[in-house]
Amino acid sequence: MYKRLTVFIFVAIGFILGMKYSNKEIIKISNISSKHWRLYEIAIQWIKRQENIEGYIVRNGYKSVCIYGMSHLGDCLTGTLRKAGIEVLYGIDKNADKLYNQYVEIYNMDDNLPMADLIIVTTIVHFGEIKTELEKKFGKEINIVSLEEILTEA
């Protein structure tokens, strides 16, 4: 009887731990899936409304731009703005040491960064936190906007 109870307890504990691990993995996979779906949606909006990006910058009188988030979208945005004759001063990314862009230097937030008229944030998650961090670094003088916001602007 004692042996069966012990086996039952260990099986129950294993089941509970397995469910806990599985739920964490499911949540992690779901978050990654959501992120990639949003990237896809932004890419489609970009293709449909590419002139919105350059138009937004010109309409608002921005002369110099830097880009936060230099992975796929940041890399594409740098090339697009460069072709439109808009100066991109530099890129910012938490993984700056692992990234390369043929047109601009990529810096970490901890680096000494020059001022720009506008920072476009290409990162689709945690925009509020990133904006707060950028405002702490640069103050309220700099304009910070998400790429998603520019693309969905009427």
Side-chain angles (χ1 to χ4, degrees), residues 3 32 36 42 62 74 82 86 89 91 93-94 108 113 118 124 138 147:
K3 189 175 182 180
I32 291 170
H36 287 108
I42 288 171
Y62 300 125
R82 188 173 182 278
I86 296 168
L89 296 179
D93 200 287
K94 66 181 179 180
N108 283 305
L113 304 173
L118 175 66
I124 59 170
F138 291 103
L147 177 60

Side-chain angles (χ1 to χ4, degrees), residues 103-125:
Y103 302 116
V104 297
E105 290 290 325
I106 303 173
Y107 299 102
N108 283 305
M109 279 290 287
D110 298 332
D111 293 330
N112 187 16
L113 304 173
M115 286 295 285
D117 295 331
L118 175 66
I119 298 176
I120 300 175
V121 178
T122 65
T123 308
I124 59 170
V125 291

Side-chain angles (χ1 to χ4, degrees), residues 128-142:
E129 295 167 20
I130 293 167
K131 183 175 181 179
T132 300
E133 189 176 348
L134 289 167
E135 286 173 341
K136 285 180 187 173
K137 181 153 185 89
F138 291 103
K140 296 280 185 178
E141 309 91 47
I142 198 160

Side-chain angles (χ1 to χ4, degrees), residues 90-101:
Y90 56 89
I92 307 169
D93 200 287
K94 66 181 179 180
N95 297 312
D97 56 331
K98 298 175 186 164
L99 297 172
Y100 170 78
N101 185 285

Side-chain angles (χ1 to χ4, degrees), residues 16-26:
I16 292 168
L17 291 176
M19 289 301 294
K20 184 176 181 181
Y21 175 76
S22 295
N23 285 340
K24 284 183 181 178
E25 285 300 309
I26 290 168

